[in-house]
Amino acid sequence: MTNPNPFPRRMSSFASANNGSRPLRSAGFSHLLNPPPDSGSHGSGASSHAGAPFSSLDAGAAHLGNAPHGLDEGRRSHRTSGANLPSFSRAFDMFTSKEPLLAGPNMTYSGVGSSASVSKTGFLSPSYLRGSGYLEKLAEQHKAKLMADRETTMSKGSSGTVFAGNTGNTESRSVTLHTKLPSGIHRGVALNLIERPPASAELEDVVSPLPTRWNSDDKDHTVEVFGDGYEVKYTGSKGSEHEAGAIRADNPMPMQCGVYYFEVMLLSKKREENIIAIGFETRKAQLSRFPGWEGESWAYHGNDGKIFASGSNSGRLYGPTYGAGDTVGCLMNFRTNQVLFTKNGEELEIAFKDPSFKDPTKSFYPAVGLKRPGDHIWINFGQVPFQYDIDGYMKKQQKMVTDKIRSTDTANLAPPLNDTELIQQLVLQFLQHDGYVGTARAFAEEIHMEKQALNMDADVPVEGVNIKDDEDANNRQQIRRAILEGDIDQALIYTNQFYPKVLEENGQVYFRLRCRKFIEMIRREAEMNSSLQEAGVKAKSTSQPRHHTGNDTQRTYSQNPGGEDELMTEGEEEMMDTEEDGSELRTGNPEDETMAMRAAGVSELCQDALEYGQELRDEFKNDPSHEVSKHLNEIFALMAYPNPLEVKEVAHLLDGKGRVAVAEELNSAILTSLGKSSRAALENLYAQTTVLLEDLRKDGGDGAFVTIQNVIDDIPKAQVN
């Protein structure tokens, strides 16, 4: 699943946490009509169709970058070097990479332009799978492994020094400062990395990974793997007629993606000497013979244009022969149990149709067989654009499924309501359930007016929808409004006033509210600091000495004799005069005095945030939950940056969408305490549909070609607005 981020949507670590209570929802439907910026995993990206087919070896070499060995250059450019971590470190790419998690339109790879589909973290996202439920799950899985590896590299207890300091009066409760700070330290947060064994290996795969390389451990001894694992050469001697060398990919073709496609380019020099077979097989097939000649293997042979299936001796005439300079593709459609091949971007007819392709006990690996010295191929798993228009093929398959959905009769779904009336009732119930009473009433009035306008019989009265003025709904609306405005203290007051037992019985919701208050304090400080920085004004802070360069102003923190840090801007010393006793002279300019007061306010807010963070840490330091300590470390990391709003690694924590998630979790907890459902009917429908699609996706069925987000994206923007 893009990101760029990159990652597909960031879900809270505590959305599913519950201490023996009913599970609470997180962020309900807030992401559907207002999705976050595209991270690459869901965007269309660049098309995988490469345009004109390769007609010669020279063209192929130019495309690949000095093929056959030019791809080794791609490997070197694919990774960047650094001074602090060894190049073999699995954490290395993660921390040095400035790429989003998923490939985007500006991704480059081995000199092939901007359409490549491999991120620097190693995530492969073929363009024809972007936007699919499978790739979204795969992206989440990849991100989880990166995060697990990252956690193993971070020093334990790094947040322990964030709020270390005096517990006396307010003025002395500041961060302990050091004369010399180690590299990677800011505001007391240790950012040093420790190389440890990766934790990602312990995570179980939710979906099957895509093939990414040839498997050098799953090949015949007569073939060798070169380059980045994409090139294969036959290095044996010319054997008997029935002998060959075969190799399989590192991972099988995943059924969950619905359609899988790969292409093989023949890099051999002499066309007439090539004897190559391209196809797929299970691991039961012997590697000393061509795919297609063995049981549970299927292939298209280039020397005679025949296809062979599961040990067939004679084969069947299928298509044109192929040789040096040609590119042959293999397409598996798990929905229809069909396989077809392509040559130089042109689609050939259906080659195989076999119900066993959906057998969940079997795994089918891309495979190639080579027979003569000089046979040399290169595989494209989607890391660069394909010659065949696989994007167009995928869109046709998706349209077939969506047309099938739209043609489904829903007359008996919820009689006597028709489609429009059912949707209106679902929306109304959702608004009332979540406490949007005013909006629900306005929506009901609009429905009534619409029905009156469409009523052709004046003698038939049009009944309206009565929205009751629910006291609980009004109370919940006040709480929600306070959270969405960032006023967490007021939300806590309302909650304890209207529902005094809710926070006591839902510790995880209380924890989220407390953490959100800290985030809001950091957010306000960052926003005020940004405005002051633009104005070139000095602000005081109780932070570690640091240097930070903004757009036009360089900010420098230094420790003064009183133990406080001051943020000085360029030329500021000339602006501020000092009395002999050290007090600052006022300039007499009201505007300057106003800015000075604002700077003092920022300093006070920073101090308040530090004190509140220390209080928060002390309150939950004995909590046994790993998720609690993990989330505290995440939000305390905000203190490590002068302006966290501009740092992509932590900026998401300050996003306003986090308020929505907390508000909905608290709303669900309140509803549960009142004996009501924590979910609206519309949310239950969404959850049931999601589970249904995942189930239909398992064997490559219709669920692999449609997602709920695809449906939302297809709604014209004018209608959404």
Side-chain angles (χ1 to χ4, degrees):
M1 336 86 305
T2 240
N3 188 230
N5 159 62
F7 298 162
R9 304 176 181 82
R10 181 181 177 87
M11 303 300 293
S12 168
S13 302
F14 296 86
S16 60
N18 63 85
N19 299 325
S21 60
R22 296 176 60 179
L24 303 178
R25 65 191 171 102
S26 175
F29 289 90
S30 60
H31 67 284
L32 283 178
L33 295 179
N34 298 289
D38 180 29
S39 64
S41 62
H42 308 292
S44 59
S47 170
S48 64
H49 182 42
F54 298 99
S55 58
S56 67
L57 177 61
D58 292 337
H63 182 76
L64 300 176
N66 300 322
H69 298 292
L71 288 172
D72 198 50
E73 293 296 324
R75 177 178 60 188
R76 290 194 291 270
S77 63
H78 185 61
R79 302 180 184 272
T80 55
S81 59
N84 297 325
L85 288 173
S87 60
F88 56 80
S89 168
R90 294 191 64 175
F92 179 81
D93 284 339
M94 178 171 54
F95 288 99
T96 59
S97 172
K98 291 182 174 58
E99 290 287 344
L101 174 66
L102 302 181
N106 297 321
M107 177 68 69
T108 58
Y109 181 89
S110 188
V112 297
S114 61
S115 300
S117 305
V118 182
S119 72
K120 286 189 176 180
T121 60
F123 186 79
L124 174 65
S125 59
S127 62
Y128 68 96
L129 294 178
R130 293 174 194 168
S132 67
Y134 165 78
L135 198 64
E136 181 179 350
K137 290 288 185 183
L138 193 64
E140 292 174 358
Q141 185 171 287
H142 180 73
K143 178 184 177 182
K145 291 185 177 182
L146 289 180
M147 294 300 292
D149 287 345
R150 181 179 181 181
E151 286 186 15
T152 63
T153 62
M154 298 299 290
S155 175
K156 294 294 183 181
S158 61
S159 62
T161 59
V162 175
F163 305 107
N166 202 316
T167 58
N169 58 46
T170 302
E171 293 183 356
S172 63
R173 190 182 299 176
S174 58
V175 180
T176 302
L177 301 180
H178 306 280
T179 305
K180 287 188 177 181
L181 291 174
S183 61
I185 292 289
H186 179 65
R187 281 188 175 178
V189 180
L191 300 179
N192 293 330
L193 305 180
I194 300 175
E195 186 69 11
R196 298 178 182 174
S200 58
E202 301 177 3
L203 297 179
E204 183 178 354
D205 288 344
V206 177
V207 294
S208 302
L210 290 165
T212 60
R213 298 285 192 276
W214 289 119
N215 189 348
S216 58
D217 295 324
D218 192 17
K219 67 179 182 64
D220 186 68
H221 69 280
T222 59
V223 298
E224 293 296 333
V225 180
F226 294 90
D228 283 354
Y230 301 124
E231 291 181 72
V232 173
K233 286 183 179 180
Y234 185 81
T235 57
S237 59
K238 188 174 181 180
S240 67
E241 181 180 353
H242 299 289
E243 291 180 353
I247 186 171
R248 289 186 282 259
D250 56 353
N251 296 313
M253 300 182 288
M255 288 187 185
Q256 300 100 316
C257 65
V259 167
Y260 184 76
Y261 181 72
F262 66 93
E263 285 183 348
V264 176
M265 176 181 289
L266 279 68
L267 303 178
S268 309
K269 296 181 180 179
K270 296 182 180 180
R271 183 184 184 92
E272 64 278 2
E273 295 183 0
N274 297 146
I275 302 180
I276 293 176
I278 297 170
F280 55 96
E281 60 188 30
T282 71
R283 282 189 168 167
K284 290 184 178 180
Q286 294 293 324
L287 293 168
S288 59
R289 284 165 54 83
F290 266 165
W293 287 355
E294 286 288 304
E296 296 193 0
S297 67
W298 296 258
Y300 174 24
H301 291 204
N303 61 312
D304 54 15
K306 291 183 177 182
I307 53 175
F308 294 79
S310 293
S312 172
N313 293 324
S314 58
R316 176 173 66 87
L317 188 60
Y318 170 70
T321 61
Y322 57 86
D326 289 328
T327 296
V328 176
C330 178
L331 187 154
M332 167 73 84
N333 188 326
F334 288 102
R335 186 175 72 88
T336 61
N337 296 323
Q338 294 176 337
V339 174
L340 63 83
F341 292 90
T342 67
K343 179 184 176 183
N344 296 330
E346 298 296 326
E347 183 179 314
L348 305 179
E349 63 183 21
I350 300 299
F352 308 112
K353 184 171 183 178
D354 192 330
S356 69
F357 294 157
K358 272 193 177 180
D359 187 342
T361 65
K362 295 182 179 179
S363 297
F364 303 98
Y365 294 78
V368 66
L370 302 93
K371 187 173 178 61
R372 292 186 177 178
D375 285 350
H376 182 191
I377 62 94
W378 179 84
I379 186 82
N380 182 8
F381 289 118
Q383 68 271 16
V384 297
F386 292 111
Q387 288 198 35
Y388 173 62
D389 185 14
I390 183 61
D391 285 6
Y393 178 90
M394 193 66 166
K395 289 177 181 177
K396 291 178 182 178
Q397 298 297 312
Q398 293 168 342
K399 187 177 185 302
M400 290 181 187
V401 176
T402 54
D403 287 348
K404 183 178 177 181
I405 294 173
R406 291 191 178 97
S407 64
T408 303
D409 184 13
T410 58
N412 298 320
L413 187 61
L417 301 177
N418 58 34
D419 288 357
T420 301
E421 292 171 338
L422 175 59
I423 293 172
Q424 289 173 344
Q425 290 298 317
L426 287 170
V427 173
L428 271 174
Q429 195 268 343
F430 174 77
L431 292 173
Q432 288 180 279
H433 179 276
D434 275 30
Y436 296 108
V437 180
T439 304
R441 185 175 290 110
F443 184 53
E445 292 175 358
E446 183 178 335
I447 294 173
H448 181 66
M449 293 174 59
E450 183 179 288
K451 288 183 177 180
Q452 283 183 323
L454 296 175
N455 185 23
M456 304 300 293
D457 190 346
D459 296 331
V460 178
V462 178
E463 296 182 0
V465 181
N466 183 26
I467 304 297
K468 296 181 180 180
D469 194 5
D470 187 345
E471 182 180 354
D472 280 326
N474 290 327
N475 292 339
R476 288 186 287 116
Q477 191 175 33
Q478 289 186 65
I479 296 171
R480 176 188 293 273
R481 184 182 297 114
I483 295 175
L484 296 182
E485 292 174 354
D487 192 349
I488 307 301
D489 284 336
Q490 187 62 58
L492 289 168
I493 292 173
Y494 283 148
T495 303
N496 289 323
Q497 176 183 343
F498 301 138
Y499 312 102
K501 295 290 185 179
V502 167
L503 296 180
E504 181 181 333
E505 296 172 353
N506 295 272
Q508 75 278 11
V509 177
Y510 171 71
F511 173 73
R512 291 292 305 279
L513 283 166
R514 293 274 285 161
C515 289
R516 190 67 208 181
K517 178 181 176 180
F518 178 79
I519 292 172
E520 294 297 336
M521 296 176 77
I522 298 298
R523 179 190 176 99
R524 288 197 297 273
E525 183 208 356
E527 290 173 345
M528 293 176 66
N529 250 332
S530 295
S531 63
L532 290 175
Q533 182 180 345
E534 291 176 1
V537 176
K538 176 173 67 175
K540 293 184 178 181
S541 170
T542 54
S543 64
Q544 294 282 3
R546 68 191 187 273
H547 295 270
H548 173 72
T549 301
N551 294 331
D552 300 310
T553 309
Q554 181 173 355
R555 306 194 298 172
T556 304
Y557 277 90
S558 58
Q559 185 177 355
N560 65 20
E564 292 184 318
D565 292 343
E566 291 185 334
L567 172 59
M568 305 295 293
T569 58
E570 293 177 355
E572 198 168 5
E573 293 82 354
E574 298 176 3
M575 297 172 57
M576 303 296 295
D577 295 324
T578 307
E579 294 280 13
E580 291 181 0
D581 60 0
S583 61
E584 293 178 352
L585 282 175
R586 298 188 180 273
T587 63
N589 188 329
E591 186 173 327
D592 290 344
E593 292 183 7
T594 300
M595 297 302 292
M597 292 176 63
R598 290 176 60 188
V602 173
S603 177
E604 183 178 354
L605 185 58
C606 179
Q607 178 68 22
D608 290 343
L610 288 170
E611 293 178 7
Y612 180 78
Q614 186 179 37
E615 177 185 329
L616 188 63
R617 182 201 62 187
D618 292 342
E619 181 177 359
F620 294 97
K621 65 182 179 181
N622 296 323
D623 194 297
S625 172
H626 170 70
E627 294 298 322
V628 168
S629 59
K630 177 181 177 182
H631 193 60
L632 287 175
N633 287 337
E634 284 184 346
I635 64 173
F636 289 161
L638 293 169
M639 300 294 293
Y641 304 96
N643 190 352
L645 288 169
E646 297 178 357
V647 182
K648 65 179 182 179
E649 289 81 5
V650 296
H652 63 274
L653 295 171
L654 302 172
D655 196 294
K657 294 184 179 67
R659 297 175 178 175
V660 178
V662 174
E664 292 191 354
E665 287 188 40
L666 178 55
N667 185 63
S668 295
I670 293 172
L671 288 167
T672 301
S673 71
L674 297 174
K676 300 179 181 180
S677 173
S678 63
R679 282 182 171 181
L682 188 58
E683 291 176 288
N684 286 329
L685 179 62
Y686 172 83
Q688 292 166 3
T689 304
T690 300
V691 173
L692 176 63
L693 288 175
E694 290 179 357
D695 187 63
L696 293 174
R697 188 181 301 130
K698 289 179 181 178
D699 63 352
D702 291 348
F705 298 89
V706 63
T707 65
I708 297 177
Q709 189 62 50
N710 292 151
V711 176
I712 299 298
D713 293 341
D714 288 341
I715 300 176
K717 297 301 181 184
Q719 293 185 30
V720 174
N721 294 336

